[in-house]
Amino acid sequence: MQYQLDDKILSKKDNNYTHIRQNILPFQTRNPERATFENDFSPITAEFIRDILKLSTPEIHKTEKIINSSIDRIDFNTEQDKETMNMYLNGLLHHSNKKGDLTNIKNFPLSEGRSKVGEVEIAHFLYDFFIRAQRSEIDEIVADLKDNKNILTNLIDSVSSEEEVETSEIKAKYKGYYSDFSKLFLKDFKFVLRNRSAIMNNLNLLLSHYYFVVSTQLIIGLDNMTNFDSEKFTKVVYILMTEKSSRSRDSYIFGLHEIKRKLKRTITHDHIFYILNNNTFRKKAAENDYWDYSQFKDFFAQNDKNVELEFVKSIVVWMENIYCRKNNIDFDDKYYEIESFAGAVEMMHELIQYAWYTYRNDRSKPDGLYSRFMINYDEIQRSFFRKNGGSLGQLIALSQNHLLFLVGMSVGDEPLLVSDLWLELEKRGVWFDHKSKTEVVKILTKLNYIDKKSDSGDAQYVKRIL
């Protein structure tokens, strides 16, 4: 067997070569299709729930039809009673579902315009990442929810079901990582669904948080290249919206400043995966069945050294003859000396990153696709996790509402030691420095969520919040 890149796939007619995305992240490269979160996270949350329930996306005006059809099935004594019911149903289906359930959420429409493409992709990503491998447990949760409906909810469900189109499970598209984080998501998802108060708001907080964390961790992790660890989180330090920061604070050192630097290279890793996975010794079985750096590294570790060397040499030849010629890039003779997979990846990264960062017809400008890709992360961070740090630039921050939600998830049903709270938050991808921890305790104390179990105050517990 040959262990080489597959020229027949990568280099088509006249040595033409096109990068095909590998669906690592649901980042769009067309501006109109990027999710902008103008309607909060609600359209994505609703689509995520529909993916779980295996329902098609409703048309934009479905909610109005549901309300009118529901009202037509009720006998009213007066027109005022009818109008009151109309207002109530509108509030139930349109406004945050403060005491709603999945019946109401599933009817929430996507945003109008092309940004709905990005919303659908994020929901698909969340489903593949957190739900697909735990599908049987999710089915049990949904079955329990269907048994807890009031009269109006049952009426709405009956009306909406007449127009619903059941579908099969969506096709796997994105690859899952961080298995412990996925299991933790399921635990938090169950907790939110069990506590029905403000369910839409809590689901929005839950999904936006888990999406932001896993996107952040993938951006950081992939930049480790052949040292990529798909199970280990990297420390990312948050700051509270109400705090002041400085260059010496961990929220700056281990925060957005470093992530943005790595974000500039994320699409390069996607590009490298596409090239590496088109080879003569392994065929992809599904759209999300690509090998990442660690899988290639493990494969070569289990085989004879000549297998790795043959593959590496084919990469060097292909990059010189196809990639560099297409992109008008000079190929340095030093690359001929590469004999390790890690060295080949570094070479590919250097050359491809240069091609993205400088448009081939004008080396003073970056490629447009490369620029648009990065904005996707900026949108989610700007919408939900951004604090203006003045001369420090933007920082990753938590609002008090988001903080209390995460603390509530961390505490669960039983009081939790304050010292254990920080560990639970870190499991959820959030680190705080000492100053932020002190501020968090002040906020929880002010809201009466801290319980001192001893006279000395040494044993402090956080009460149940949600």
Side-chain angles (χ1 to χ4, degrees), residues 360-397:
R360 73 193 200 108
N361 292 327
D362 185 349
R363 289 301 180 196
S364 65
K365 298 180 180 179
D367 185 277
L369 187 149
Y370 159 88
S371 301
R372 294 189 296 271
F373 180 90
M374 294 188 292
I375 299 175
N376 289 264
Y377 184 77
D378 185 64
E379 291 283 8
I380 179 71
Q381 193 263 331
R382 176 183 60 81
S383 298
F384 303 105
F385 303 95
R386 175 171 291 190
K387 172 183 172 60
N388 191 338
S391 62
L392 303 180
Q394 304 300 328
L395 303 169
I396 296 179

Side-chain angles (χ1 to χ4, degrees), residues 104-352:
N104 304 331
I105 296 171
K106 71 184 182 184
N107 292 308
F108 198 99
L110 295 168
S111 298
E112 296 190 50
R114 296 295 295 167
S115 63
K116 65 184 178 183
V117 174
E119 294 171 348
V120 169
E121 282 303 305
I122 293 174
H124 196 151
F125 173 79
L126 290 169
Y127 183 89
D128 283 348
F129 212 99
F130 297 113
I131 300 298
R132 189 174 299 281
Q134 307 179 95
R135 180 72 229 194
S136 59
E137 294 182 65
I138 293 296
D139 287 339
E140 293 177 10
I141 297 171
V142 173
D144 289 341
L145 285 168
K146 290 181 177 179
D147 294 332
N148 295 303
K149 296 179 179 179
N150 58 39
I151 295 175
L152 281 176
T153 301
N154 275 320
L155 173 62
I156 293 172
D157 193 32
S158 175
V159 172
S160 64
S161 295
E162 293 176 1
E163 296 185 20
E164 285 174 357
V165 178
E166 293 192 9
T167 63
S168 56
E169 185 177 37
I170 56 175
K171 184 179 177 182
K173 186 173 183 178
Y174 295 95
K175 190 170 183 173
Y177 293 105
Y178 310 115
S179 58
D180 287 344
F181 192 55
S182 294
K183 292 174 184 175
L184 188 60
F185 170 85
L186 187 61
K187 176 185 175 182
D188 288 349
F189 187 51
K190 287 180 180 179
F191 191 77
V192 168
L193 294 183
R194 182 160 55 85
N195 294 269
R196 309 290 288 282
S197 179
I199 189 171
M200 177 63 108
N201 180 60
N202 287 340
L203 280 175
N204 283 343
L205 287 169
L206 178 74
L207 294 175
S208 60
H209 177 77
Y210 271 81
Y211 172 56
F212 180 70
V213 169
V214 82
S215 298
T216 300
Q217 291 297 331
L218 277 173
I219 288 167
I220 297 171
L222 289 172
D223 207 56
N224 292 325
M225 292 187 273
T226 52
N227 291 319
F228 171 54
D229 188 337
S230 62
E231 294 299 325
K232 184 179 180 180
F233 271 7
T234 299
K235 180 179 180 179
V236 175
V237 182
Y238 289 61
I239 193 171
L240 301 181
M241 294 287 187
T242 53
E243 288 187 275
K244 293 183 179 180
S245 188
S246 67
R247 294 185 187 277
S248 62
R249 291 282 300 271
D250 286 355
S251 53
Y252 179 79
I253 300 170
F254 301 103
L256 189 62
H257 177 72
E258 182 67 12
I259 293 166
K260 283 291 188 73
R261 186 175 67 83
K262 297 177 184 296
L263 174 62
K264 291 181 178 181
R265 301 192 283 264
T266 303
I267 195 171
T268 299
H269 301 302
D270 185 293
H271 201 153
I272 292 173
F273 286 176
Y274 172 67
I275 296 170
L276 294 178
N277 279 275
N278 282 296
N279 56 61
T280 58
F281 55 93
R282 182 182 181 273
K283 300 300 180 184
K284 291 174 65 175
E287 191 172 358
N288 67 337
D289 181 36
Y290 62 83
W291 276 5
D292 58 43
Y293 297 126
S294 61
Q295 288 168 298
F296 275 104
K297 184 178 178 181
D298 290 344
F299 174 77
F300 293 125
Q302 296 166 11
N303 284 274
D304 186 88
K305 179 64 178 178
N306 289 330
V307 170
E308 178 179 357
L309 184 59
E310 181 181 348
F311 189 56
V312 167
K313 292 304 180 184
S314 76
I315 293 172
V316 173
V317 170
W318 188 87
M319 290 297 294
E320 178 189 18
N321 295 333
I322 305 299
Y323 188 84
C324 287
R325 288 184 181 179
K326 177 188 175 182
N327 290 282
N328 298 331
I329 298 173
D330 292 333
F331 191 84
D332 197 309
D333 289 344
K334 67 180 181 180
Y335 297 133
Y336 292 125
E337 300 174 6
I338 296 174
E339 296 184 347
S340 69
F341 176 68
V345 168
E346 290 177 5
M347 172 199 66
M348 296 173 77
H349 185 279
E350 182 178 331
L351 293 171
I352 295 172

